[in-house]
Amino acid sequence: MTKWSYAAGVFLTATLLACAVEKKPPVISSGKTVVEAYVRAWNQHDSVALDSVLAPDGIHEDIAQNFRGKGSAEVVKFMRGTVAVEPDFKWQITNSIEEGRYVALEWTWTSTYTGPDVTGKQVKNKHLSGRGASFAEVENGKIKRFTDYFDMASFFR
């Protein structure tokens, strides 16, 4: 083998190695980041974004409103119902803690509400505000379960 063919072989090998693409495992967001994206999707009334962070069989429970939805279609329907009576709601995370695949949140909720209050009396443009907590389980970058806990009556005081 001549020096030139040896040099050409080394150069070709080095070039191929330099161009080789290393396949990296997908980056999975932290559970806290996923849950923050979920809350942001709610605040923006963005069902597409909600669908991107909720697992296909993901569950959202709202204990105070007696709601349990499985999958994005049911959760989006619940979201749209909320938007219909509280179009300007603001859901703000005030504190969070993450441990493994679990995320716990404290939050505030403010809105202008039109609809029946907790006694069944019709109200219009009633300012609501309150605090609550949520617990989420995140798996493979998607919400597997999200449960809200709050006292609905306290929002109407």
Side-chain angles (χ1 to χ4, degrees):
M1 198 182 222
T2 68
K3 284 195 250 181
W4 287 108
S5 50
Y6 177 74
V10 169
F11 177 75
L12 181 61
T13 302
T15 303
L16 290 174
L17 288 174
C19 293
V21 176
E22 180 183 344
K23 184 166 177 134
K24 295 181 180 179
V27 175
I28 296 176
S29 299
S30 75
K32 184 177 172 185
T33 302
V34 172
V35 170
E36 288 169 347
Y38 187 71
V39 170
R40 193 169 38 258
W42 271 84
N43 280 327
Q44 295 171 351
H45 311 166
D46 187 346
S47 59
V48 174
L50 184 142
D51 189 43
S52 72
V53 293
L54 187 66
D57 60 346
I59 294 169
H60 182 120
E61 294 177 294
D62 188 311
I63 303 301
Q65 296 188 66
N66 196 28
F67 171 77
R68 183 180 191 277
K70 185 174 184 179
S72 62
E74 290 180 16
V75 178
V76 166
K77 184 177 178 182
F78 178 62
M79 176 196 277
R80 289 185 179 145
T82 302
V83 170
V85 295
E86 300 177 70
D88 64 345
F89 70 79
K90 173 84 170 136
W91 188 8
Q92 185 171 345
I93 298 170
T94 57
N95 197 7
S96 63
I97 187 168
E98 179 178 9
E99 179 61 38
R101 66 183 189 186
Y102 300 104
V103 179
L105 306 174
E106 290 180 312
W107 46 262
T108 60
W109 181 281
T110 56
S111 71
T112 306
Y113 176 80
T114 298
D117 67 9
V118 292
T119 66
K121 178 183 169 194
Q122 192 70 19
V123 297
K124 184 172 179 156
N125 296 328
K126 169 110 174 118
H127 176 72
L128 298 185
S129 66
R131 295 173 42 199
S134 298
F135 185 78
E137 181 180 3
V138 178
E139 191 172 86
N140 298 321
K142 302 274 187 175
I143 294 174
K144 184 176 176 115
R145 184 172 63 92
F146 191 98
T147 306
D148 294 323
Y149 300 93
F150 61 99
D151 173 20
M152 179 68 86
S154 70
F155 280 50
F156 284 89
R157 289 188 194 130

